[in-house]
Amino acid sequence: QVQLVESGGGLVQAGGSMRLSCAASGRTFSNYDMGWFRQAPGKEREFVSHISRSGGVINYSDSVKGRFTISRDNAKNTVYLQMNSLKPEDTAVYYCAASRVDGPRFGVYSTFSYAYWGQGTQVTVSS
């Protein structure tokens, strides 16, 4: 089992920045690809970003590309999401997720590729 705990959410004005953290425990963190997803009220959970085990492969959704940066520190068992130039449409609950041990077999964008999820952290961007 992998336990994930997100932190860093809150309220920010449009154009501002925020950094989310996700601390992992339970298994060897470097064995898992990590992802960030978000879910706005009344909408499905959507892919935000992915980072491979070593950090060498990174993916972003088109809606956040150029504004968000994912990173990981395997020594600290933590993955980060730096969010800049925030927009009101970025308002959502943000979840971090760890892939299945055999990797994101359904593709990095699919929730089915991730076996472990955090409880989520609310990000609210005011206009």
Side-chain angles (χ1 to χ4, degrees):
Q1 287 280 42
V2 176
Q3 291 79 42
L4 302 171
V5 179
E6 301 98 335
S7 61
L11 175 65
V12 65
Q13 287 190 332
S17 298
M18 184 177 288
R19 188 176 83 155
L20 304 182
S21 300
C22 174
S25 61
R27 293 284 177 90
T28 304
F29 180 67
S30 59
N31 286 346
Y32 297 86
D33 285 44
M34 299 296 296
W36 284 97
F37 288 74
R38 66 187 182 186
Q39 188 167 18
K43 295 188 176 181
E44 292 187 353
R45 192 167 298 189
E46 66 172 1
F47 170 80
V48 174
S49 185
H50 154 267
I51 187 167
S52 64
R53 301 167 192 204
S54 66
V57 177
I58 288 175
N59 303 92
Y60 297 102
S61 68
D62 288 343
S63 61
V64 308
K65 196 174 297 182
R67 299 187 298 121
F68 290 12
T69 302
I70 191 171
S71 61
R72 66 188 296 162
D73 185 337
N74 286 343
K76 295 183 177 179
N77 293 346
T78 302
V79 62
Y80 304 97
L81 186 68
Q82 177 66 42
M83 304 185 294
N84 298 330
S85 302
L86 282 161
K87 304 175 181 180
E89 51 263 45
D90 294 319
T91 295
V93 177
Y94 284 68
Y95 299 89
C96 73
S99 71
R100 301 176 183 276
V101 70
D102 57 351
R105 61 194 315 192
F106 300 105
V108 302
Y109 305 97
S110 171
T111 57
F112 294 106
S113 289
Y114 298 86
Y116 306 99
W117 294 83
Q119 82 289 349
T121 185
Q122 177 70 47
V123 172
T124 303
V125 184
S126 63
S127 56

